[in-house]
Amino acid sequence: TKKMSELENSEQPAAAFSSELKGATNGGFDLAAVYVSDAQHNRNITFDASPPSVRLYLIYNHWMLHVLVYVFILVDLALALFEEPALIPLPVWATSMIELICLVAFAVRLAHFAKVVPRRIFLRDPKNICIIVIITLCLLDMIIYGALKVSGNYAVRWSRVLRPLLLVNVTEGRQLRRAFRSIRNALPQILVLFFLFMFSVLIFSLMALKLMGKRNLETIEGAPYFTNYLDIVFDLYVLVTTANSPDIMMPAYNYSSFFALFFILYIVINTYTFMSVFLAVVYNNYKKYLKEEVRQLVRAKRQKMCHAFSLLKEGGEEPVVSKAHWNRLVRLVQPDITNAHRELLWNVSDHHNRGHIGKVAFVQLADLLNIQVITLKSRAHPLHTWIPAIYESAVSKLICRMVRHRMFVYLYDAIILVNAVFIGLDEEDPVVSSAEWFFLTLYVLEILLKLYTFEPRTFFARHHFWNWFDTIIIVSALLATVINAALKSSGGYTSRQILDIVFILRVLRLIRVVDSIQRFRAIINTLIKIGPLMLTFGQLILVVYYIFAMVGMELFKGKVQFFSADSPDPAREYCGNALLKDTLFARNNYCKNNFNDVVSSFVLLLELTVVNQWDHLDGNLVDAMETQDNDMGPADTPSTKPTIMFKISSKSNKCFRCAAELRQLELSRCHQ
């Protein structure tokens, strides 16, 4: 944080130094500004340096076009909500028209990109080829699907699995592509360990078959215990995830306590040892390739800054960039930068006050522009201007001193803790209800006292997150409580939606105590800072989930049905599928775990990722989905049921979750 109010008027007007700009042409400044902007935002695009192409490139990188690209991608992905099997059904022509508009937008964006990069580079870029192929296949599938629907035939939207790949291959998805490349590069070493792990599982499965297969043991459901080798492999694989522990061990353990040694040894070797080594290998390999990505990124950034320096340099033996050139360049790169901020950056670069900087100092400009600089301006409180006599009175000064004192913070921390006790009590009690109004009044009074003491624009500055949080929560709670009380007093109030919002806001008020504890505040601030960076891996998981969801919806839609609790339909007992009768899936009321729409599909995939009870979801769903005839033809036999889809989904999602956690760890260490 820098205080720079004294620098606000120190900058000379642009016209005062325009006569000094003789070292570079206007086109040179535009091109240099593009190089610096690319270095600042880590863009590594080889573009045509001609003036028309540079202007097109500036338009291509406009923030509004970036936002529009993501809007069209989100709309394209969201079409799964309205397409069969739909959560909210829309006519085929409506969804097709929306998708066509999105594809046209992607094609226009790609054509724009083709205008700013050399044709040879454009045609050799794999991501451009992928976008062209995806657009072509989506158009072809849309035409075929529409024709089959019009003729009354069965049709499959197979191109929907390609939609999330647009998120990966657009120019704006460079961070996502780096994440995929890091995972891809780490796969060879990971696969070696995975094969060793599977070899261990196979050996233990063979031992289990020989030790327990001939003892006529049965599971709690009465099924034969450990008599089929492939079933044993699957059960022991599930045991590594702890989803079936200790159920899988109990028949053998009940028969003889010595069999517990077999399972303990298996868990120690495969769950704790192999999984820990697996995590270490993933971490080391991912970190290694991520470092290489960062090195390449830094190298490309330095090259771009050197190109910009060569366009603006002046002098003979030791080329330099003058302050006038530097100021004009910064104005082009970041037009909204303040004079004080720009002057501060120049003072950092030219710490010897020579009026010019060399190549080493100039190359640091991209990093300097990325540093967050907070400008603190000394402003008088509006009340000091409007009513100076009252605001400067002894009572007013006493109030301000009290609010600034540490004991004021401690007092409200204690109030929050007492409020937490009342929140846990029955809200129907008149005393508790009255106490809620009392606490709410105290919180509103706190906000008003702070606004009275501190200048409002400073109090609500962009970097004061907790002030915004407190105010929004308190004002929202006040409005919700007033609305809830008004609806209750009007009579006939039966909805709990407003009441639920009130309860949530009451609980959220307790988070304010985090700001009072320094260590808690440091952790929360770190999480807030790395939150935007973690969006990259949120997109990565979205891509994986979406692909599996689209495949599952096409293959398994309608195989499991959900019935409300008051439904008289007897099919409710077995989720609308007779093959699920008397199964754990039906008895546990897992009927909502299906692929009947995209939301249900995402929830099911999330449950598989969490791995708890995933073996019940896997086995019972496959039995229900793949032993009945469906619209695509006769059912598979039990020996060919594709449980592999569920296993791949669970395994791949866990791998991506692991990569995201490792990335978060690295980002946390960087911020520390």
Side-chain angles (χ1 to χ4, degrees), residues 409-470:
V409 177
Y410 293 157
L411 173 63
Y412 268 91
D413 288 345
I415 291 174
I416 291 174
L417 295 178
V418 175
N419 188 198
V421 176
F422 277 84
I423 289 176
L425 301 177
D426 185 9
E427 68 275 2
E428 298 298 332
D429 190 319
V431 176
V432 176
S433 179
S434 301
E436 174 57 30
W437 283 103
F438 173 72
F439 286 116
L440 193 56
T441 302
L442 290 178
Y443 293 139
V444 173
L445 178 62
E446 179 196 15
I447 298 296
L448 294 178
L449 287 174
K450 288 182 176 180
L451 289 175
Y452 181 84
T453 303
F454 304 104
E455 200 276 326
R457 284 179 293 181
T458 303
F459 183 77
F460 289 117
R462 185 172 54 184
H463 59 281
H464 286 163
F465 168 80
W466 290 107
N467 292 343
W468 282 97
F469 179 83
D470 288 350

Side-chain angles (χ1 to χ4, degrees), residues 36-145:
V36 175
S37 180
D38 280 1
Q40 179 188 1
H41 297 98
N42 296 322
R43 291 192 291 260
N44 190 18
I45 300 174
T46 304
F47 56 90
D48 189 356
S50 63
S53 296
V54 170
R55 286 191 292 271
L56 284 174
Y57 187 64
L58 289 171
I59 298 173
Y60 182 83
N61 288 320
H62 194 278
W63 67 269
M64 183 63 72
L65 294 182
H66 293 317
V67 172
L68 284 176
V69 169
Y70 280 111
V71 168
F72 280 114
I73 290 176
L74 290 177
V75 171
D76 194 35
L77 295 176
L79 287 175
L81 294 169
F82 312 103
E83 297 172 331
E84 185 184 355
L87 184 67
I88 306 173
L90 285 180
V92 175
W93 64 265
T95 56
S96 299
M97 185 62 65
I98 296 173
E99 184 174 9
L100 181 61
I101 293 173
C102 293
L103 294 177
V104 170
F106 299 142
V108 171
R109 180 70 170 169
L110 188 64
H112 189 174
F113 186 70
K115 290 290 185 180
V116 300
V117 299
R119 180 174 300 180
R120 175 179 54 84
I121 296 177
F122 177 83
L123 295 177
R124 292 183 179 180
D125 194 337
K127 66 177 183 292
N128 297 332
I129 298 174
C130 286
I131 294 176
I132 294 173
V133 171
I134 291 171
I135 293 175
T136 304
L137 291 178
C138 288
L139 286 173
L140 183 63
D141 179 41
M142 191 162 47
I143 295 171
I144 295 174
Y145 182 82

